[in-house]
Amino acid sequence: MKHRVSTLLLALAAAAPAAHAQQAGSDLNEVQRLGRQVFAQSCGICHLQPSLGVKTYGPLLNKAAAGGNDEVMRAFIVNGTDRMPAFKYYLKPAEIDAIIAYVRTVPVPLEPAPNAQK
């Protein structure tokens, strides 16, 4: 019995980071679903926690990212930063808009996220 409970807790813990990136699909409109897909493919390598206890390269993103300002977020995505590549030649403007629309649906975590690697 203890083994089953431990296994269940381990499985739930491993699924938690994926839940952050995979908001309920029925709650998202078509643009937000496209944004979730593009985010997972193009941004997730740095901005999604691969498993518990593992730090991300970039910050975990949610609706408060870039101070909640869509234009600031767009500028980060298009032009990049010292640590982040520019996506202006890789993503279409509609894909960037979709990423922003999706990120605005991700709730702010209740507990502070672990710091990204420096």
Side-chain angles (χ1 to χ4, degrees), residues 9-102:
L9 289 175
L10 204 56
L12 290 174
H20 173 74
Q22 301 295 324
Q23 300 299 311
S26 61
D27 295 347
L28 302 178
N29 65 34
E30 186 176 330
V31 172
Q32 294 163 336
R33 282 192 301 271
L34 171 64
R36 179 179 61 187
Q37 177 185 352
V38 176
F39 180 85
Q41 292 171 340
S42 301
C43 313
I45 190 74
C46 293
H47 294 285
L48 293 177
Q49 191 176 16
S51 62
L52 287 177
V54 177
K55 294 181 180 183
T56 59
Y57 184 73
L60 295 175
L61 300 178
N62 57 55
K63 62 183 173 181
N69 186 317
D70 291 356
E71 292 308 313
V72 171
M73 183 175 285
R74 183 173 287 102
F76 276 114
I77 296 169
V78 169
N79 301 315
T81 67
D82 292 342
R83 291 180 44 187
M84 180 178 139
F87 285 91
K88 60 185 163 193
Y89 301 117
Y90 179 70
L91 297 175
K92 298 173 185 167
E95 292 172 320
I96 294 171
D97 292 341
I99 290 170
I100 294 168
Y102 166 67

